[in-house]
Amino acid sequence: MDYKDIVGHEHVVQSLKRAVRNNNISHFYLFEGEEGLGKRTLGRTFAKTLLCEKKGAEPCNTCSSCIKFDHLNHPDYHEIDPEKGIIRKGQVEEIIRGMSMSPFQGDRKVFLMDQAHLMNKEAQNAMLKSLEEPPSYVHMILVTSSSKNLLPTIISRGQQIRFGQIPLNLVSEYLVDRQGMETGEARFLAEFSKGSLGRAVQLSSSEDFFQLRDWIIELVGFLVKGESWKIFSAVERFTDEKDRVQELLDIMLFWFRDLMVYKATEDLSLVINSDKEILLSEQSFLDFDRINDIIKKIQDTSMNIQLNVNYQLSIETMLFKIQEEF
Ligand SMILES: [Zn+2]
């Protein structure tokens, strides 16, 4: 584990390195940003750096502390995760006990709590107490995707580090170099995941994601040809894939956005389904207003499903609406 493995977040990395170089390391950090951006990975790398015996701005990867860290058995590094979706007071009390004992190996102890927003109220109050006067050797990193669920008093005590989106080209390079993906698919996933590396990696290892995408695109093709009888079996499949419906609707949304862009520019470099040019060109006879209406309908359907409107009916209405539009 090293800063070299971090994708994007250049300014965060620089500011953490600077803090170490200037010996201006905070005792409490709050890493916040959406899921899948690599916050925890960066937190671990920072923790490893703080524990490294060489005391440089980056982990040396050779000292006994770095080796223990990589083998996940460093005695002065502790990670706390939610249990069944909650972090309870008992877990925080365990941290506090851990804090009160001096480091075993070096002169620092690092605690990293992932999904800190899942602390319940009692846990947060206990945490607040522990942050009041932590021993000088303690460093705490809270990682969260939604700090609005944390007590303002916790937030204000920490040094906040915001994680922004990872540039799409870096996500797609990572998928090609590290995951061995083909460039077109990597580019699609980078865009589809909106710069969330974790999401992109997860989808790249999902066996059927690209099959689902092909199915959706094929379905749109049938609707273009007016083959409305396909809708009934499609609704069935949508019902089987109910857990992934937002993914399916996103695939559909991206398709119609591409259609709009392709129709306007005929520039393949601007569309994310760039491997489907023939289909895009076949369907570009649709006029802009119609495509717009369809996009709006898909967005409404997505919203309705989140609001628990009748699932089957929403999907069916959407598919008929798309078919009508053609
Ligand atoms: Zn080291």
Side-chain angles (χ1 to χ4, degrees), residues 52-54 59-63 66:
C52 174
E53 290 165 12
K54 299 280 165 65
C60 76
N61 291 321
T62 54
C63 73
C66 283

Side-chain angles (χ1 to χ4, degrees), residues 26-30 92 95-96 99 111 113 116 119 123-136 138-142 150-159:
S26 168
H27 286 282
F28 173 33
Y29 287 92
L30 187 65
V92 175
I95 303 175
I96 297 171
M99 282 179 176
F111 297 82
M113 180 185 281
M119 276 189 285
Q124 292 199 38
N125 282 321
M127 173 62 83
L128 201 55
K129 281 215 182 78
S130 78
L131 294 171
E132 266 165 19
E133 266 181 64
S136 59
V138 164
H139 298 275
M140 165 70 83
I141 304 167
L142 296 191
L150 290 171
L151 292 173
T153 34
I154 289 189
I155 297 172
S156 63
R157 220 167 267 270
Q159 180 173 346

Side-chain angles (χ1 to χ4, degrees), residues 55-324:
K55 303 252 178 268
E58 295 181 19
C60 76
N61 291 321
T62 54
C63 73
S64 111
S65 173
C66 283
I67 290 168
K68 281 186 185 157
F69 195 94
D70 284 340
H71 284 98
L72 310 177
N73 59 5
H74 199 295
D76 296 322
Y77 176 67
H78 301 276
E79 225 170 82
I80 304 95
D81 291 301
E83 288 169 4
K84 292 185 185 151
I86 302 180
I87 298 174
R88 296 173 200 282
K89 190 180 173 191
Q91 286 172 275
V92 175
E93 285 171 341
E94 215 168 294
I95 303 175
I96 297 171
R97 269 197 297 281
M99 282 179 176
S100 67
M101 286 183 281
S102 322
F104 290 100
Q105 170 123 6
D107 52 5
R108 284 180 180 142
K109 275 191 132 169
V110 185
F111 297 82
L112 183 149
M113 180 185 281
D114 198 19
Q115 307 205 58
H117 53 276
L118 295 179
M119 276 189 285
N120 62 19
K121 202 133 194 205
E122 293 74 34
Q124 292 199 38
N125 282 321
M127 173 62 83
L128 201 55
K129 281 215 182 78
S130 78
L131 294 171
E132 266 165 19
E133 266 181 64
S136 59
Y137 50 79
V138 164
H139 298 275
M140 165 70 83
I141 304 167
L142 296 191
V143 176
T144 179
S145 56
S146 62
S147 60
K148 62 179 188 299
N149 295 335
L150 290 171
L151 292 173
T153 34
I154 289 189
I155 297 172
S156 63
R157 220 167 267 270
Q159 180 173 346
Q160 280 170 272
I161 307 255
R162 294 267 336 148
F163 283 66
Q165 221 194 36
I166 305 172
L168 299 184
N169 62 320
L170 294 184
V171 176
S172 118
E173 268 170 37
Y174 182 92
L175 294 174
V176 172
D177 296 345
R178 306 285 185 93
Q179 308 283 115
M181 284 191 86
E182 181 260 314
T183 319
E185 288 189 342
R187 209 178 131 218
F188 177 85
L189 277 193
E191 300 248 11
F192 188 78
S193 313
K194 298 161 192 152
S196 160
L197 184 67
R199 179 94 180 110
V201 168
Q202 187 200 357
L203 289 175
S204 76
S205 53
S206 143
E207 276 179 16
D208 58 353
F209 176 75
F210 281 98
Q211 286 168 15
L212 281 180
R213 169 184 172 238
D214 284 345
W215 169 62
I216 288 287
I217 293 172
E218 189 188 42
L219 176 64
V220 170
F222 284 128
L223 298 179
V224 177
K225 292 183 206 139
E227 295 184 30
S228 56
W229 53 275
K230 287 274 181 187
I231 289 178
F232 298 101
S233 62
V235 172
E236 256 173 51
R237 182 144 181 201
F238 264 99
T239 307
D240 292 342
E241 306 284 359
K242 196 172 174 182
D243 292 347
R244 302 172 73 178
V245 64
Q246 294 303 337
E247 212 168 276
L248 298 180
L249 295 178
D250 272 352
I251 293 173
M252 212 175 241
L253 212 47
F254 274 111
W255 178 261
F256 283 104
R257 280 186 187 150
D258 269 3
L259 203 52
M260 186 89 103
V261 171
Y262 185 78
K263 192 176 159 65
T265 64
E266 287 198 9
D267 183 350
L268 261 194
S269 69
L270 298 176
V271 302
I272 76 163
N273 293 283
S274 51
D275 53 337
K276 305 279 184 193
E277 185 179 15
I278 298 173
L279 290 171
L280 283 171
S281 104
E282 268 175 22
Q283 296 174 20
S284 56
F285 65 87
L286 277 175
D287 69 44
F288 287 115
D289 287 345
R290 282 177 151 190
I291 301 176
N292 242 335
D293 284 350
I294 292 173
I295 288 176
K296 196 166 176 309
K297 185 70 193 171
I298 300 170
Q299 287 168 332
D300 288 350
T301 305
S302 166
M303 187 66 83
N304 285 340
I305 287 172
Q306 285 172 45
L307 294 172
N308 278 326
V309 175
N310 184 304
Y311 180 79
Q312 211 162 324
L313 190 66
S314 306
I315 296 292
E316 207 173 285
T317 317
M318 173 187 76
L319 295 178
F320 273 110
K321 173 82 181 169
I322 294 171
Q323 197 245 331
E324 247 170 58

